[in-house]
Amino acid sequence: MRIGVLTAGGDAPGLNAAIRAIGQMALRDGHEVIGIANGWAGLADEYAGRPLHASDLQGVIAQGGTLLGTARYNLDNPPGGRERVLSAIEEHLDGLISIGGDGTHRISTWLADHGAPIVGVPKTLDNDLLGTDYCIGFDTAISIVAESIDRLYTTAASHHRVMVVETMGRLTGWVAAMGGLAGGADMIVIPEFPVTMDDIMKHLERRVAAGLAFSIVVVAEGVNLSTLGGTEKGELSTEGVGGVRLATRGVGQFVASKIEEHTAIEVRTTVLGHLQRGGSPTAHDRIWATRVGAGAYDAVTSGKFGTIPVVRDNNVVLSPLSSVIGGQRQVPREIYELCSVFF
Ligand code: F6P
């Protein structure tokens, strides 16, 4: 069987572990494994598939990024991209494994509905794909957030300052909430549970009154600026392509400036940005990326197309591709309330 594999959308630590699992299992069983460069672009534009050999897969489990390259590529603008991908799959491959998030799997679902022999793998640093407890990259991201807070904590305490930490999280606050929980943040602001600047200020004042002159405030980049008293400059996109680049809205800097305006506390802002996506994956990401990669390999080789291996209750189970699209998995109230206990 000739099995293609591609990574689409933003990169994430752990992608190489999944590619390695797929590739090594395919080579073990005598299949051909084709690495498609740069996501959908490698099928919609000039065909960019090349056979992967054992040597391509050596040592990659510890490496961040994706050895295949990736791209945010809009197949619908100009129209016709989906059809070109469909015919490239038909011409070159017997099966395709697409590793990506919501945007990628909307395309994968369409391709499956049009007869493509495709299986997905869940990846998004934001951790908000529907129907799965695990997405490649999230564990590494929250480890980086927690470590960053540890470092910011000591300097915040020394200078009696508020440190505002802006994390990734396009539409949901998983990275901010779980990274902030692990780092012991004093306040976490996420899209799912809007707060006003007044709420933030009151909380900081309570801490000052309790003799805690410094604070760490974690803010997800996708938090609505209007709720905080600011102005949104454009539509927030639910797509991986197009729309407003969230980091450019400067939510962290906005919160910091408002705190300085209303209190006598000095404030500094750190935007963690792509540091959250770079570097070596954690052991958790390596193990689970390997497991979902292996699940996708099993599915594609047994002809279970139109599916995606997801993680539920610590098990890898096969689910229809359509079950992971059409919305975001949000941080539940229970988790947010747990975070709030420590504010
Ligand atoms: O969708 C995942 C994500 O990491 C978001 O959290 C972030 O807004 C976005 O990607 C950044 O994308 P880019 O690398 O294209 O700037």
Side-chain angles (χ1 to χ4, degrees), residues 10 72 124-126 168-170 221 240 245-247 274 277:
R72 295 198 187 279
T124 165
L125 200 96
D126 294 355
M168 279 190 172
R170 185 178 285 269
E221 66 178 358
R245 265 188 59 221
L246 295 188
H274 290 80
R277 288 224 313 244

Side-chain angles (χ1 to χ4, degrees), residues 14-281:
L15 284 172
N16 287 329
I19 298 165
R20 169 181 174 268
I22 295 160
Q24 289 196 337
M25 290 173 84
L27 295 175
R28 175 200 66 188
D29 297 342
H31 296 301
E32 204 178 344
V33 58
I34 310 291
I36 311 289
N38 306 325
W40 300 120
L43 292 173
D45 296 343
E46 196 176 327
Y47 176 66
R50 69 169 178 96
L52 294 179
H53 305 290
S55 56
D56 296 312
L57 304 167
Q58 286 306 303
V60 301
I61 196 165
Q63 288 168 12
T66 161
L67 67 92
L68 300 175
T70 187
R72 295 198 187 279
Y73 189 93
N74 193 337
L75 289 171
D76 299 321
N77 187 18
R82 296 180 188 224
E83 291 74 12
R84 292 201 305 279
V85 169
L86 204 54
S87 42
I89 296 172
E90 209 173 282
E91 185 179 345
H92 299 284
L93 306 166
D94 304 311
L96 174 66
I97 297 175
S98 58
I99 311 177
D102 178 55
T104 303
H105 293 317
R106 269 185 268 167
I107 301 294
S108 310
T109 306
W110 184 91
L111 291 166
D113 289 347
H114 287 77
I118 190 166
V119 169
V121 171
K123 176 273 323 178
T124 165
L125 200 96
D126 294 355
N127 198 41
D128 56 4
L129 206 57
L130 287 175
T132 181
D133 301 339
Y134 172 75
C135 294
I136 294 175
F138 174 66
D139 186 68
T140 308
I142 60 172
S143 305
I144 293 165
V145 172
E147 194 201 319
S148 306
I149 295 175
D150 292 349
R151 290 176 186 279
L152 291 167
Y153 182 94
T154 57
T155 170
S158 306
H159 285 267
H160 321 292
R161 282 173 174 159
V162 169
M163 292 291 189
V164 176
V165 186
E166 184 184 301
T167 69
M168 279 190 172
R170 185 178 285 269
L171 295 166
T172 59
W174 285 100
V175 177
M178 301 306 254
L181 184 63
D186 303 306
M187 177 125 206
I188 300 169
V189 186
I190 60 175
E192 291 91 326
F193 298 94
V195 294
T196 61
M197 276 314 302
D198 220 38
D199 298 327
I200 299 175
M201 236 68 88
K202 281 201 183 109
H203 179 65
L204 297 179
E205 280 156 15
R206 268 201 304 277
R207 281 181 55 82
V208 172
L212 301 161
F214 70 95
S215 292
I216 306 278
V217 178
V218 176
V219 184
E221 66 178 358
V223 162
N224 193 304
L225 272 169
S226 322
T227 328
L228 296 170
T231 326
E232 286 296 352
K233 293 190 190 84
E235 276 287 292
L236 296 195
S237 173
T238 53
E239 300 287 335
V241 284
V244 175
R245 265 188 59 221
L246 295 188
T248 62
R249 293 160 61 245
V251 173
Q253 189 51 50
F254 179 84
V255 170
S257 64
K258 288 288 167 195
I259 297 171
E260 280 206 313
E261 218 174 283
H262 291 96
T263 67
I265 314 172
E266 249 192 301
V267 189
R268 296 289 185 269
T269 312
T270 303
V271 179
L272 293 177
H274 290 80
L275 286 173
Q276 295 158 100
R277 288 224 313 244
S280 188

